[in-house]
């Protein structure tokens, strides 16, 4: 399949470039800046990403791109444009101050293919500390803003383009159009990439890879593992066994409901109720990281014991998706992202790893899920942490506290759905505090737990804002929780954003 290569120099928006290219129906791979796949016959064009670095700094990333220029069309974005200029003898200098934010194009060369239909007055998004002050020989000015003369340039003979602004972000209002000119008009993408084509080719590849082999997959009820399971089921049917472990810290009725959903989808899934093993091991444990370690270790043990009951398993499938694998994080040492996954899966089982979603972004996983006929309530559910309610019950966990929190959480999530608010929120849940407070109910004094409600908006969980829920709704919700959940007499709403707080409390 045709593909665009995006060489990553560590920008925060590299993944966004990838998503835009995919939205244009074109497959792309994001690779570290110095790992261009020379010789790959499917490459039709190259995009050089932005970077927090400077091309003339001692730590600049200056790969040898001699086999790239003049062989493929190349588009440089921000640092990528500066790099093109620097390599070809242009001048890049510090602009004195960081240029950040919206700007309007004041000049556009109508002959430049990249800008077809994009005229002076169009809004672009700038974010750079360096500017290209002199273009290299043979390169022509393509667009300017009032403050940045060389906002875009090109070399039509060598098929090289550079833009100082960021076409991948929504603030560049015609950015998608610009990228379409590059990907479709210039690189001649046949636009073969779609959810349906992905399902078709992946099912075919999985059949070839797995043959009559047996596959196991850990299911969590989450979007990624569900889509991976349905895809594998389509490819190998009952040779796939899904294992869904109940650690006793799931949402109320989650184990039964999700298991029923899996069975409705025709999946061969084993539900393992290991609640008592987990709750016993967690008895008296207060430290959040220790809770995570215990749950991770037990999860692997339970999973392995169940897997051992299936004779002749050759493959371990995982719902790993593309953002989990992109190696952008360590390129500059400045972009840091940590991943939390329950446990990690058993390496010593000597199983071959099978990751059918490893090329997909999250929104693509959902579209593939829709193509596969997975119901929307499974595909558009909020993220839920692997250790579950264990990290929402602050301090020691008891079965009584699990019951209280499940009831509160259930009322909260159900009401968000009923009020039509669920879809606007990235993630919501309740936290049980390890304190009791005084209240009065009827004429009686109460001394019960305080719970916190947390609802955030986000696009990737790296940053999050607390969600502004309607006052009337919060009022009704608080009443319902205190009236219905035995053991709770106070409800608080968390108004902290991430950073400096985190989404979970532990
Ligand atoms: P924080 O609390 O770090 O959470 O802002 C960011 C996202 O990660 C989820 N999260 C976890 N997921 N195991 C998981 O599988 C964990 O230990 C874990 N801790 C946090 C959290 O729910 C949010 O979506």
């Amino acid at each position: 399949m045709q593909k665009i290569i995006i060489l990553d120099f560590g920008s925060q928006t590299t993944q966004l470039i990838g998503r835009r290219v995919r939205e244009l129906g074109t497959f792309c791979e994001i690779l570290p800046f110095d790992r261009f796949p020379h010789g790959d016959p499917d490459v039709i064009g190259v995009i050089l990403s932005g970077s927090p670095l400077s091309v003339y700094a001692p730590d600049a990333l200056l790969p040898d791109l001699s086999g790239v220029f003049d062989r493929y069309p190349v588009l440089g974005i921000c640092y990528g444009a500066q790099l093109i200029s620097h390599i070809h003898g242009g001048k890049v200098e510090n602009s004195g101050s960081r240029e950040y934010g919206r700007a309007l194009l004041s000049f556009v060369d109508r002959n430049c293919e990249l800008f077809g239909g994009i005229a002076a007055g169009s809004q672009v998004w700038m974010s750079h500390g360096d500017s290209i002050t002199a273009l290299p020989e043979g390169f022509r000015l393509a667009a300017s803003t009032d403050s940045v003369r060389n906002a875009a340039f090109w070399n039509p003979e060598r098929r090289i383009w550079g833009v100082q602004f960021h076409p991948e972000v929504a603030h560049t209002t015609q950015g998608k159009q610009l990228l379409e000119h590059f990907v479709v008009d210039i690189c001649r993408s046949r636009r073969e990439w779609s959810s349906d084509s992905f399902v078709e080719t992946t099912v075919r590849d999985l059949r070839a890879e797995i043959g009559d082999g047996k596959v196991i997959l850990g299911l969590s009820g989450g979007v990624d593992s569900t889509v991976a399971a349905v895809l594998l089921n389509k490819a190998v049917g009952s040779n796939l066994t899904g294992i869904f472990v109940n650690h006793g810290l799931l949402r109320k009725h989650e184990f039964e409901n999700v298991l029923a959903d899996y069975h409705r989808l025709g999946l061969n899934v084993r539900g393992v109720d290991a609640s008592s093993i987990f709750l016993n091991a967690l008895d008296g444990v207060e430290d959040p990281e220790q809770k995570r370690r215990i749950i991770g270790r037990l999860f692997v043990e339970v999973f392995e014991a169940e897997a051992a009951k299936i004779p002749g398993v050759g493959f371990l499938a995982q719902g790993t998706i593309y953002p989990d694998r992109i190696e952008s994080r360590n390129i500059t040492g400045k972009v840091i992202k940590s991943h939390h996954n329950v446990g990690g899966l058993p390496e010593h089982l000597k199983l071959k790893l099978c990751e059918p979603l490893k090329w997909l972004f999250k929104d693509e996983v959902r579209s593939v899920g829709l193509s596969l006929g997975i119901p929307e309530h499974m595909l558009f559910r909020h993220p839920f942490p692997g250790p579950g309610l264990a990290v929402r019950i602050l301090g020691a966990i008891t079965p009584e506290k699990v019951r209280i929190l499940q009831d509160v959480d259930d009322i909260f999530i159900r009401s968000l759905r009923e009020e039509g608010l669920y879809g606007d929120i990235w993630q919501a849940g309740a936290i049980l505090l390890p304190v009791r407070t005084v209240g009065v109910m009827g004429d009686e004094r109460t001394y019960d737990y305080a719970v916190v409600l947390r609802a955030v908006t986000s696009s990737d969980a790296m940053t999050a804002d607390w969600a502004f829920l309607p006052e009337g709704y919060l009022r009704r919700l608080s009443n319902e929780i205190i009236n219905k959940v035995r053991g709770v007499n106070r409800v608080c709403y968390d108004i902290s954003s991430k950073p400096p707080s985190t989404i979970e409390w532990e």
Side-chain angles (χ1 to χ4, degrees), residues 393-459:
I393 295 172
L394 271 49
I397 299 165
T398 63
E400 169 70 353
K401 287 184 173 179
V402 175
R403 195 270 308 157
I404 291 176
L405 192 57
Q406 281 181 333
D407 285 347
V408 173
D409 177 82
D410 184 53
I411 292 173
F412 186 23
I413 300 300
R414 223 163 1 94
S415 70
L416 283 173
R417 287 191 191 278
E418 283 162 13
E419 301 273 333
L421 295 166
Y422 185 87
D424 299 332
I425 285 166
W426 166 267
Q427 187 167 6
I431 296 100
L432 183 63
L433 299 184
V435 290
R436 287 169 190 252
T437 73
V438 175
V440 54
M441 243 182 169
D443 293 330
E444 298 284 321
R445 175 188 194 269
T446 58
Y447 188 55
D448 283 331
Y449 286 110
V451 293
V452 176
L453 303 179
R454 178 98 166 117
V456 296
T457 55
S458 176
S459 58

Side-chain angles (χ1 to χ4, degrees), residues 292 340-342 383-387 391-392 426-427 461 498 501-506:
R292 281 195 170 82
H340 329 251
N341 275 319
V342 172
F384 186 68
V391 291
R392 294 184 182 168
W426 166 267
Q427 187 167 6
K498 174 184 179 176
S501 300
T502 52
I503 296 176
E504 303 296 344
W505 275 47
E506 283 197 338

Side-chain angles (χ1 to χ4, degrees), residues 211-493:
D212 291 332
K214 288 196 177 168
V215 189
I216 47 168
L217 166 69
L219 283 162
S220 66
V223 179
D224 303 340
S225 60
T226 302
V227 174
V230 175
L231 206 48
L232 276 155
N233 183 53
K234 205 170 156 77
V236 302
S238 59
N239 273 350
L240 167 73
T241 306
I243 298 173
F244 179 32
V245 177
N246 181 8
H247 52 27
L249 295 146
L250 298 173
R251 295 195 139 116
K252 189 172 180 177
H253 302 315
E254 175 91 339
F255 185 58
E256 302 81 358
N257 291 344
V258 171
L259 212 47
D261 275 334
Y262 286 150
H263 290 146
R264 268 193 289 276
L265 284 167
L267 300 177
N268 168 25
V269 177
R270 297 184 178 193
V272 185
D273 189 355
S275 310
S276 54
I277 300 177
F278 283 83
L279 292 177
N280 285 339
L282 287 166
D283 189 27
V285 177
E286 293 186 7
D287 177 63
E289 288 311 304
Q290 206 189 338
K291 287 180 187 173
R292 281 195 170 82
R293 277 194 297 275
I294 291 171
I295 294 172
R297 176 177 55 77
L298 286 178
F299 181 85
V300 172
E301 280 176 28
V302 172
F303 185 87
E304 279 189 34
E306 201 56 34
K309 295 180 193 161
I310 307 161
V313 173
F315 295 85
L316 172 70
Q318 286 186 339
T320 319
I321 68 170
Y322 199 33
D324 300 336
R325 302 190 309 123
I326 298 177
E327 293 178 55
S328 62
R329 291 161 281 285
N330 298 321
I331 288 177
T332 62
K334 295 187 182 181
V335 189
I336 296 155
K337 183 172 174 180
S338 69
H339 288 280
H340 329 251
N341 275 319
V342 172
L345 286 169
E347 275 173 22
H348 63 268
L349 288 183
K350 304 265 178 294
L351 300 175
K352 283 192 209 127
L353 198 60
C354 169
E355 297 177 314
L357 308 181
K358 68 181 176 189
W359 293 111
L360 301 189
F361 292 108
K362 192 80 180 183
D363 47 341
E364 293 177 314
V365 175
R366 294 202 164 101
S367 318
V368 165
L370 289 173
S371 288
L372 289 165
I374 300 173
E376 294 199 6
H377 76 268
M378 298 185 80
L379 293 175
F380 293 90
R381 59 203 333 235
H382 292 168
F384 186 68
L389 302 181
V391 291
R392 294 184 182 168
I393 295 172
L394 271 49
I397 299 165
T398 63
E400 169 70 353
K401 287 184 173 179
V402 175
R403 195 270 308 157
I404 291 176
L405 192 57
Q406 281 181 333
D407 285 347
V408 173
D409 177 82
D410 184 53
I411 292 173
F412 186 23
I413 300 300
R414 223 163 1 94
S415 70
L416 283 173
R417 287 191 191 278
E418 283 162 13
E419 301 273 333
L421 295 166
Y422 185 87
D424 299 332
I425 285 166
W426 166 267
Q427 187 167 6
I431 296 100
L432 183 63
L433 299 184
V435 290
R436 287 169 190 252
T437 73
V438 175
V440 54
M441 243 182 169
D443 293 330
E444 298 284 321
R445 175 188 194 269
T446 58
Y447 188 55
D448 283 331
Y449 286 110
V451 293
V452 176
L453 303 179
R454 178 98 166 117
V456 296
T457 55
S458 176
S459 58
D460 54 9
M462 298 294 291
T463 61
D465 284 321
W466 59 276
F468 196 89
L469 297 175
E471 182 193 332
Y473 164 68
L474 286 174
R475 201 182 289 281
R476 288 193 297 281
L477 178 60
S478 160
N479 279 343
E480 185 176 352
I481 291 171
I482 295 176
N483 285 328
K484 289 195 179 156
V485 184
R486 212 167 9 92
V488 172
N489 69 356
R490 194 171 297 270
V491 176
C492 310
Y493 188 59

